[in-house]
Amino acid sequence: MRRASSSGSGTRFRLFPRPPYAHPGRPPEVVAISVPPDLIGPGPSDDRLYVIDPVRKSHPYGIVRGPYGTPHLSLPPWRGPIRRPVQAGPDGHFDRIPVEAPEFAQVHVYGSIRFVLDVWERYFGGPIDWHFARDFDRLEVVMLPDFDNAHVGYGFMEVGAHHNPDGSAAPFAVNFDVIAHELGHLIIYGTLGVPSRETERGEYFGFQESAADTTAMVAALHFDFLVEQLLEDTRGNLYTYNELDRFAELSATEQIRLASNSVTLSQFAAGWEDEHALSQPLTGAVFDILVDIFQENLVERGLIGRDVADLTEQVKKRPEYAATIQTVFDAAYPGQREGFRASLIEARDYLGVALAETWRRLSPDFFDYEEVATLLLAVDRALSGGRYREEMIESFVWREIGRVKVGPRLSPPAKSSHAFSARTLVPEIGRRLPQMSYRERVLIARGM
Ligand SMILES: [Zn+2]
């Protein structure tokens, strides 16, 4: 499989695999995305998406109140003024824009979206359609630095910042993980769609968050330097706390979620409140499966013994093994970097293809994690005769997927919940809202 970062015919960008405010001093990586320079316009923009930096956009898309208080559905396109769209360099590439320049943010967002789309369209074996294609040709990507979030919805992605209590901000525009996570939601909408009120189950919302995190994790493993650093830091022992683990870092010490969590489904048997928490058992299972596949590849290459691989699978139940395991990896890794790297890339691509095939077969209706597990096992059987069946079953069983039923939603969605946010609103809902007066509509049209 062609590696995203070694394409010669595409357009060059510089991306931070990890946000610079969490890893100061680490330079961005030069990558090439598949769209050739002559097909990228100012913004940047192309036939699938365009980035804008609006002037005075006072609220994110979704349901907002008009000047006289009437709720209405605000959707793209943005019709107000925008700041000058970013142009490519004279050679048609975008890798010369200084990191400190204000326009670097737009370029980083565009490059990140395209980089992730390249990765996942290869795994899907073709284009991933936008779920809003009926109404909009292209995704509108909006820079909205005052917005305390990043979200996607019907025809848009809006990119804000994490605002720290001391007044400083961590812009999500340079947080690859956050952009990739949001694009992950769009991939799932485009692939599965959304359930109706009658057919929706809580696990659908947990799955959305889990799949979005997985989208980001697998995409990040396409940065050569990140892979190298990850293996150097851990000596190939990916069960330790590591860089791949941390989602949506906000600073050097704070991140939103961990992939190698030890959350199991029984914690939600009585019910659930937040889909990000509910996503953890599934994300954890997928992360463990990635590491297990990697270790199987290491065993096959003769880089670690079978006994070591078996021992690492026990470490969740027997944390006292951790030190012994690290000693083994510390001895096995030196001089074998290339074998470790190749084993990880193979595991990444096997999992990527297997997940794409699994997601393609899922239905959004009456969703539960057990169905994800059943389909992933079937896909593994189809791809390789069930090469990783045992590891997959072990991971799902340990997470109690297929054993424990998730209880009901215990409280109305919190503000941070995406489940009923702008993302799932479609134009039909707009038509059911009260009519606005002509005058109020004029005021909105003028951007007041
Ligand atoms: Zn999300």
Side-chain angles (χ1 to χ4, degrees), residues 83 102 197 217 246 273 330 347-348 365 435:
R83 290 182 189 86
R197 276 292 163 103
M217 179 176 76
R246 289 172 249 165
E273 289 183 60
D330 287 346
R348 171 198 80 186
D365 303 315
Q435 285 293 309

XYZ file of all heavy atoms in Angstrom, residues 83 102 197 217 246 273 330 347-348 365 435:
98
model
N -12.260 36.664 5.204
C -10.892 37.171 5.009
C -10.296 36.520 3.760
O -10.775 35.477 3.310
C -10.038 36.872 6.244
C -10.466 37.721 7.415
C -9.635 37.523 8.654
N -10.299 38.243 9.745
C -11.279 37.731 10.496
N -11.671 36.487 10.317
N -11.870 38.460 11.434
N -0.764 33.887 10.284
C -2.165 33.595 10.651
C -2.815 32.597 9.694
O -3.665 31.803 10.094
C -2.861 34.956 10.597
C -1.869 35.934 10.076
C -0.514 35.317 10.093
N -35.541 8.291 15.371
C -35.840 8.333 16.805
C -36.317 6.967 17.318
O -36.043 6.573 18.443
C -36.937 9.376 17.089
C -36.411 10.784 17.231
C -35.576 10.893 18.500
N -34.752 12.090 18.471
C -35.043 13.200 19.159
N -36.097 13.243 19.909
N -34.262 14.251 19.074
N -6.746 7.865 15.186
C -5.589 7.078 15.614
C -4.922 6.395 14.413
O -3.692 6.460 14.254
C -6.039 6.028 16.636
C -4.919 5.143 17.126
S -5.477 3.993 18.404
C -6.349 2.782 17.440
N -3.158 8.926 23.333
C -3.770 10.159 23.826
C -4.572 10.815 22.730
O -4.052 11.126 21.669
C -2.676 11.128 24.283
C -2.011 10.670 25.543
C -0.825 11.535 25.860
N 0.409 10.804 25.688
C 1.599 11.377 25.613
N 1.706 12.682 25.664
N 2.670 10.652 25.479
N -24.682 8.453 30.491
C -25.007 9.876 30.380
C -24.259 10.554 29.241
O -24.779 11.454 28.609
C -24.683 10.593 31.693
C -25.656 10.193 32.791
C -25.407 10.931 34.084
O -25.492 12.167 34.062
O -25.123 10.261 35.093
N 12.878 -3.913 25.785
C 14.120 -3.128 25.791
C 15.275 -3.936 25.184
O 16.174 -3.380 24.563
C 14.482 -2.709 27.223
C 13.559 -1.608 27.745
O 12.834 -1.006 26.919
O 13.540 -1.374 28.974
N 0.057 -3.977 10.710
C -1.075 -4.071 11.647
C -2.048 -2.923 11.400
O -3.267 -3.114 11.364
C -0.572 -4.033 13.090
N -1.501 -1.732 11.225
C -2.318 -0.536 10.955
C -3.183 -0.754 9.712
O -4.386 -0.505 9.723
C -1.357 0.640 10.732
C -1.991 1.909 10.244
C -0.939 2.837 9.646
N -0.591 2.447 8.277
C 0.368 3.004 7.561
N 1.125 3.959 8.079
N 0.609 2.616 6.326
N -29.518 1.367 12.649
C -30.741 1.046 13.408
C -30.491 -0.054 14.433
O -29.798 -1.025 14.152
C -31.847 0.612 12.450
C -32.123 1.680 11.396
O -32.201 2.871 11.777
O -32.224 1.329 10.205
N -42.218 30.059 11.746
C -41.895 30.998 10.670
C -41.340 32.301 11.250
O -41.823 32.790 12.259
C -43.175 31.323 9.881
C -43.595 30.195 8.968
C -42.600 29.985 7.832
O -42.251 30.925 7.141
N -42.136 28.755 7.667
